[in-house]
Amino acid sequence: PERLPDAVALWLSCVTHFPFSLGLHSFIGISEQMRASWRSLDVYFIQQNSLILAYALARPAAPSNAALVAYVSAIALLFARNIYSTMWVRHIADIPKKQLSRDLRNMVLAYLFPMFFQSVYYADAGATKISASTSIILLTAAFLYANHIPEKYAPGAFDLIGCSHNIMHALAFAAHASEWAFLHHMAFRSPQATAAAFFNQSTT
């Protein structure tokens, strides 16, 4: 029960984005105006859900409630800045993949921060493995998506299945599984216990 809010927030971060991603990518015959509207919703919910993810991952790792509030407040400011950059200053439908990837990169790094904090501050080997695997998955997804790999090497061969966008979504699901693994890890190994184990090892 103590970890239920974390699990609900992580679940919501995926479920609330899914309908808008489906609306953007499933209906090939929609007009450009309608596609732009769906893309705007898709990008908005990617960033909103990064804010929810930040809360879900930070809550079990934060050393205090004050630290949790400060962190989530900072993520909210970054979220507002990104919305302004991607949806107000520029037209979302005209942003190239590389530029959009750069705009979203900071949000991703920010919501992964609790994993890195848990790994370094508490010398938590389990969190280190999970944060490293999640980072590798997301970096691979971003690289393939931004550089149109593999479709740029075989035009037409990956129009429906196997394109960079498909691969990016598959890797995003893998990253989401890693985030669930982090919550599972934190549910059975509290930050306080991890810190105590670290300092006990340091003094022996």
Side-chain angles (χ1 to χ4, degrees):
E2 181 185 353
R3 299 302 184 197
L4 184 60
D6 316 338
V8 170
L10 189 58
W11 177 77
L12 282 174
S13 72
C14 182
V15 171
T16 54
H17 171 229
F18 177 74
F20 303 100
S21 184
L22 186 68
L24 173 62
H25 303 302
S26 295
F27 307 111
I28 298 174
I30 61 177
S31 67
E32 279 301 306
Q33 183 178 0
M34 184 63 69
R35 189 188 69 83
S37 298
W38 277 110
R39 191 179 189 208
S40 296
L41 288 167
D42 184 46
V43 171
Y44 171 82
F45 277 95
I46 288 172
Q47 296 181 92
Q48 175 196 279
N49 292 337
S50 295
L51 180 60
I52 299 173
L53 267 172
Y55 168 79
L57 298 176
R59 189 172 177 270
S64 67
N65 288 333
L68 176 62
V69 170
Y71 169 72
V72 173
S73 299
I75 298 298
L77 289 174
L78 180 60
F79 164 73
R81 180 263 174 201
N82 258 28
I83 290 297
Y84 176 74
S85 173
T86 59
M87 304 186 72
W88 187 268
V89 175
R90 291 167 295 184
H91 196 282
I92 185 65
D94 299 327
I95 299 177
K97 281 187 175 183
K98 284 190 176 183
Q99 181 63 52
L100 183 59
S101 296
R102 285 195 293 268
D103 286 340
L104 298 180
R105 175 188 58 199
N106 290 340
M107 284 298 291
V108 173
L109 290 174
Y111 79 65
L112 290 180
F113 177 78
M115 289 187 180
F116 299 123
F117 177 83
Q118 178 68 21
S119 302
V120 175
Y121 189 78
Y122 294 113
D124 187 335
T128 300
K129 292 176 182 177
I130 296 170
S131 60
S133 63
T134 308
S135 300
I136 291 169
I137 290 168
L138 290 173
L139 285 171
T140 302
F143 176 78
L144 295 178
Y145 175 76
N147 291 283
H148 304 270
I149 297 173
E151 62 268 19
K152 76 175 181 180
Y153 296 113
F158 301 100
D159 285 352
L160 295 178
I161 298 176
C163 68
S164 59
H165 206 109
N166 296 156
I167 296 170
M168 180 270 291
H169 276 284
L171 291 175
F173 275 111
H176 197 65
S178 293
E179 291 152 7
W180 277 108
F182 179 73
L183 288 192
H184 183 271
H185 170 76
M186 295 302 293
F188 292 97
R189 190 177 187 186
S190 69
Q192 292 78 10
T194 305
F198 169 61
F199 287 118
N200 286 338
Q201 290 176 2
S202 300
T203 56
T204 56

mmCIF file of all heavy atoms in Angstrom, residues 23 26 43 48 50 54 135 152 154 195 199:
data_model
loop_
_atom_site.group_PDB
_atom_site.id
_atom_site.type_symbol
_atom_site.label_atom_id
_atom_site.label_comp_id
_atom_site.label_asym_id
_atom_site.label_seq_id
_atom_site.Cartn_x
_atom_site.Cartn_y
_atom_site.Cartn_z
ATOM 1 N N GLY A 23 -3.739 7.338 -32.100
ATOM 2 C CA GLY A 23 -4.457 8.200 -33.027
ATOM 3 C C GLY A 23 -3.553 8.796 -34.086
ATOM 4 O O GLY A 23 -3.958 8.970 -35.243
ATOM 5 N N SER A 26 -2.029 5.363 -36.398
ATOM 6 C CA SER A 26 -2.841 4.260 -36.920
ATOM 7 C C SER A 26 -3.659 4.625 -38.146
ATOM 8 O O SER A 26 -4.046 3.747 -38.905
ATOM 9 C CB SER A 26 -3.786 3.743 -35.832
ATOM 10 O OG SER A 26 -3.047 3.184 -34.773
ATOM 11 N N VAL A 43 2.813 14.723 -28.642
ATOM 12 C CA VAL A 43 3.997 15.348 -28.042
ATOM 13 C C VAL A 43 3.676 15.928 -26.674
ATOM 14 O O VAL A 43 4.474 15.824 -25.733
ATOM 15 C CB VAL A 43 4.559 16.434 -28.984
ATOM 16 C CG1 VAL A 43 5.645 17.249 -28.300
ATOM 17 C CG2 VAL A 43 5.117 15.788 -30.249
ATOM 18 N N GLN A 48 3.935 15.488 -20.675
ATOM 19 C CA GLN A 48 3.172 15.415 -19.433
ATOM 20 C C GLN A 48 3.494 14.136 -18.678
ATOM 21 O O GLN A 48 3.658 14.125 -17.460
ATOM 22 C CB GLN A 48 1.671 15.467 -19.722
ATOM 23 C CG GLN A 48 0.825 15.271 -18.461
ATOM 24 C CD GLN A 48 -0.606 14.950 -18.755
ATOM 25 O OE1 GLN A 48 -1.372 15.850 -19.023
ATOM 26 N NE2 GLN A 48 -0.971 13.675 -18.727
ATOM 27 N N SER A 50 6.203 12.457 -18.826
ATOM 28 C CA SER A 50 7.543 12.534 -18.249
ATOM 29 C C SER A 50 7.476 13.153 -16.861
ATOM 30 O O SER A 50 8.224 12.768 -15.957
ATOM 31 C CB SER A 50 8.463 13.369 -19.146
ATOM 32 O OG SER A 50 8.651 12.727 -20.390
ATOM 33 N N ALA A 54 8.523 11.258 -13.487
ATOM 34 C CA ALA A 54 9.466 11.849 -12.540
ATOM 35 C C ALA A 54 8.972 11.669 -11.105
ATOM 36 O O ALA A 54 9.741 11.298 -10.208
ATOM 37 C CB ALA A 54 9.666 13.332 -12.851
ATOM 38 N N SER A 135 18.996 3.566 -19.486
ATOM 39 C CA SER A 135 19.679 4.614 -20.261
ATOM 40 C C SER A 135 20.109 4.103 -21.622
ATOM 41 O O SER A 135 19.938 4.792 -22.646
ATOM 42 C CB SER A 135 20.897 5.128 -19.488
ATOM 43 O OG SER A 135 20.522 5.677 -18.246
ATOM 44 N N LYS A 152 16.509 4.588 -43.786
ATOM 45 C CA LYS A 152 17.269 5.418 -44.728
ATOM 46 C C LYS A 152 18.258 4.597 -45.550
ATOM 47 O O LYS A 152 18.716 5.036 -46.602
ATOM 48 C CB LYS A 152 17.988 6.545 -44.000
ATOM 49 C CG LYS A 152 19.232 6.169 -43.223
ATOM 50 C CD LYS A 152 19.882 7.431 -42.673
ATOM 51 C CE LYS A 152 21.160 7.145 -41.906
ATOM 52 N NZ LYS A 152 21.772 8.391 -41.377
ATOM 53 N N ALA A 154 17.430 1.479 -46.617
ATOM 54 C CA ALA A 154 16.644 0.614 -47.516
ATOM 55 C C ALA A 154 15.271 1.250 -47.711
ATOM 56 O O ALA A 154 14.275 0.792 -47.146
ATOM 57 C CB ALA A 154 16.525 -0.793 -46.929
ATOM 58 N N ALA A 195 21.508 2.841 2.341
ATOM 59 C CA ALA A 195 22.519 3.737 2.880
ATOM 60 C C ALA A 195 23.209 3.118 4.084
ATOM 61 O O ALA A 195 24.435 3.186 4.229
ATOM 62 C CB ALA A 195 21.883 5.069 3.264
ATOM 63 N N PHE A 199 27.262 2.395 4.443
ATOM 64 C CA PHE A 199 28.140 2.962 5.467
ATOM 65 C C PHE A 199 28.711 1.885 6.381
ATOM 66 O O PHE A 199 29.830 2.002 6.873
ATOM 67 C CB PHE A 199 27.367 4.018 6.288
ATOM 68 C CG PHE A 199 27.143 5.276 5.524
ATOM 69 C CD1 PHE A 199 25.865 5.723 5.240
ATOM 70 C CD2 PHE A 199 28.224 6.031 5.070
ATOM 71 C CE1 PHE A 199 25.659 6.895 4.514
ATOM 72 C CE2 PHE A 199 28.018 7.212 4.354
ATOM 73 C CZ PHE A 199 26.734 7.618 4.084
#
